[in-house]
Amino acid sequence: MKDSKGKIDVNTAMKFMGDHYDTWRKKETASGLTLCGHFDKDEVEAPYWGQPAFYPLGAVQGKATDGTLAAELKLWAIIGHPCGESFIAKDFLGAHPEFNYQREFLRDMPGQVWTLFGKTTK
């Protein structure tokens, strides 16, 4: 992050949001302690959120823009995990039946790609 100070552009911002480096554990892993926020894959409870381990919580969208894009009413966005990984409710509940009480509310989040949205000119 220090190396990027003053140099963060839209591509860097998208990369950061999809990051899986856990600074607490000092390793690359999809967890609740990463910018991408995969609490659903984290074996450690999240007391600051008041949630048990593997709770289905985390980043479900991301957006990035800069001054040039904003002036053109444009932004980059992704629905689902900013890293593009899928969340499949059936698979999650099979691995973590303690959350079956959420079955009717959990939805699949197929992996997506960052997409540019905005006003088009003719």
Side-chain angles (χ1 to χ4, degrees):
M1 192 73 152
K2 288 179 184 178
D3 294 340
S4 299
K5 187 174 181 178
K7 302 176 192 170
I8 299 174
D9 60 10
V10 174
N11 288 323
T12 307
M14 292 187 292
K15 182 179 175 188
F16 283 165
M17 285 186 263
D19 185 62
H20 286 173
Y21 186 74
D22 185 323
T23 57
W24 184 61
R25 294 178 180 102
K26 306 280 190 238
K27 66 179 185 176
E28 190 78 21
T29 182
S31 75
L33 299 174
T34 65
L35 291 178
C36 200
H38 291 268
F39 288 92
D40 56 301
K41 293 185 177 185
D42 202 329
E43 70 277 359
V44 178
E45 68 179 31
Y48 42 87
W49 289 101
Q51 304 302 340
F54 300 110
Y55 195 80
L57 170 74
V60 296
Q61 53 82 23
K63 297 179 285 295
T65 195
D66 62 13
T68 301
L69 289 172
E72 297 172 2
L73 301 176
K74 295 179 181 178
L75 62 84
W76 284 91
I78 188 169
I79 189 72
H81 289 301
C83 65
E85 284 187 18
S86 295
F87 173 84
I88 306 301
K90 180 181 174 186
D91 295 346
F92 172 79
L93 291 171
H96 303 286
E98 66 271 26
F99 298 109
N100 274 335
Y101 69 95
Q102 295 186 17
R103 181 176 299 278
E104 69 179 283
F105 304 107
L106 290 178
R107 300 289 181 262
D108 290 347
M109 261 187 341
Q112 301 293 327
V113 295
W114 285 87
T115 305
L116 182 63
F117 290 86
K119 183 179 176 184
T120 58
T121 56
K122 292 183 180 184

